[in-house]
Amino acid sequence: MHEPAARSPVHITMHPNDNVAIVANDGGLPAGTRFPSGLTLHESIPQGHKLALIDLPAGAAVVRYNVTIGRAARAIAAGCWVHESLLEMPVARSLEGLPIATVAPPATEPLQGYTFEGYRNRDGTVGTRNILAITTTVQCVSGVVEHAVKRIKAELLPQYPNVDDVIGLEHTYGCGVAIDAPDAVIPIRTLRNISLNPNFGNEVMVVSLGCEKLPPARLLPPGTFALMDERGRAQARTGPDVVCLQDAAHVGFMSMIDSIMATARTHLQRLDARRRETVPASHLVVGVQCGGSDAFSGVTANPAVGFCTDLLVRAGATVMFSENTEVRDGIDQLTARAANPAIAAAMIGEMAWYDAYLKRGRADRSANTTPGNKQGGLSNIVEKAMGSIIKSGTAPISGVLSPGEKLRDRNITGGLVYAATPASDFICGTLQIAAGMTLHVFTTGRGTPYGLAEVPVIKVATRSELARRWHDLMDLNAGRIADGDATVEQIGWELFRLMLDVASGRKKTWAEHWKLHNSLVLFNPAPVT
Ligand code: CA
């Protein structure tokens, strides 16, 4: 990657109606800088932070993305820094009286002929990786499973070269929880659906302790998944393969490890017999997310992801976007884009549930922005949300999932889906895995080494400076858009092709290369005991 030459001063405006813009130059711009328009900076402004394009009287609406992101706390002259302390945040828009399914879907042609090499599963889904996942019912067994996984990797995995990895699905649920509380349905179905993720080849094996509140029969009741033999015939047995540590047959630690390894071996044999096949791109299930965002997220990486989202939807693929607090301030845009009134009602239901959840904890959406977001120029959650929501592109929203639900629960096999999740990177990623995601796209401006063991994570940098410093962590540099070296459309297409390569296993992401694996983090709004 080349070092950029010193650039003339550049500010970026997102919409003709905006009265603020952001400074694009690396390192920011000093006081006295004169833009080609004649506008002069009255003070130094860091990169990504906002300048007033016109004189803003006290109380004036500060407009970015053609949306009021706040009111000026005092008069701000043209060329001055619109610092977060000068912005009064508007209250969240009411969930009453929203526009419902008013936007006509954009006229687009189906995108045909794009394929990837995937693993077809018996249940009709297609994986991008071939992984043995060991489900756990309770945190108590994690140490034992971790020990077993190390041994499986060292002793068994080399015998099954077509299997990509073996992972223990560790979590903190299962005991000490109010298992019958209404909201317990969320962590329980999340764990169930994670074990059925397409990247695990429908091979479900469970390690249980024996006295937990979430026993295997409750986690994976009969009918949750179909057990088949090698020829695809339904097996008589209806439960998953379970190794129970408290089973009287286990005498000593090593007998537990031996049981887990013997069970793993039968699953590894079946997984190893599978081969990648050419399948239409419509079988891709992509989850998009952002984290460590800055003011460039909504200018470069997220618009490129949004363009790519539109390409994927045109190709018949499923794209999920999420992060409740980062769409809450754009709910009117989303209900307007709902494919029908029922979808809009489901969106509103998810927002109302989350508003109440935050209120219960005496918080609101404004708790979302981080010190790093603000340092990166994002003044408040309204501004952050407008940049975040762009990842969803322009397609109609054709499905809504509640936290922990999977696409197949709602018979969704394509299109743009809102999967309701918190914005927390790990919780969002975990819930998207449960939904059935097989490929993750993650944009970042501040920089995060985020990665998951369960699905490949493609990381997109919002700024070239970050992409240069983190050259072996970022998979794509969308900062070239702000540099004037590439368009949103070009980066969107690059991302689309990169996705097909990564999904096919032809390319590994940096997070895969370095084996950077964040923990699964469950969303448990229910009480613990
Ligand atoms: Ca996030």
Side-chain angles (χ1 to χ4, degrees), residues 289-293 323 326 384 391 422-426 428 442:
Q289 209 204 147
C290 49
S293 298
E323 303 175 283
E326 292 176 17
K384 184 175 175 179
K391 299 195 297 294
S424 154
D425 297 349
F426 325 102
C428 172
F442 193 100

Side-chain angles (χ1 to χ4, degrees), residues 12 93-94 105 107 111 116 154 171 175 199 258 284 297 325 353 355 362 382 384 396 403 425 431 451 458 497:
I12 297 176
R93 146 154 216 160
S94 159
L111 206 55
F116 70 102
H171 58 85
C175 192
N199 279 5
D258 290 345
L284 264 185
S297 298
T325 49
W353 186 91
D355 281 355
R362 298 191 184 183
V382 185
K384 184 175 175 179
D425 297 349
L431 291 169
I458 296 175
R497 295 198 173 91

